[in-house]
Amino acid sequence: MVAVLDYLGIDGADVYGTSMGGRLAQQLEARHPHRVRALRAARHPVDRTASDATVS
């Protein structure tokens, strides 16, 4: 993703990821914090609570 931003001449971006994309978005922010203006990770495993689990 950083290579795409570089190619397009974009300094920073708002990043949104769903599920595994949320994990990737968090990794992008961790590795390149100056490139991520805002981050939203939806339906990411870290966002789940015990109430989301199904007990059989």
Side-chain angles (χ1 to χ4, degrees):
M1 178 146 196
V2 172
V4 172
L5 294 174
D6 288 342
Y7 179 79
L8 296 173
I10 299 172
D11 293 328
D14 297 343
V15 181
Y16 175 85
T18 302
S19 191
M20 183 56 123
R23 182 178 300 264
L24 296 173
Q26 288 179 328
Q27 289 178 359
L28 176 66
E29 182 185 37
R31 294 179 182 162
H32 306 279
H34 60 285
R35 302 301 292 268
V36 178
R37 294 185 310 210
L39 171 67
R40 173 68 176 133
R43 308 289 288 161
H44 185 276
V46 173
D47 293 337
R48 294 184 182 155
T49 64
S51 64
D52 293 331
T54 303
V55 178
S56 330

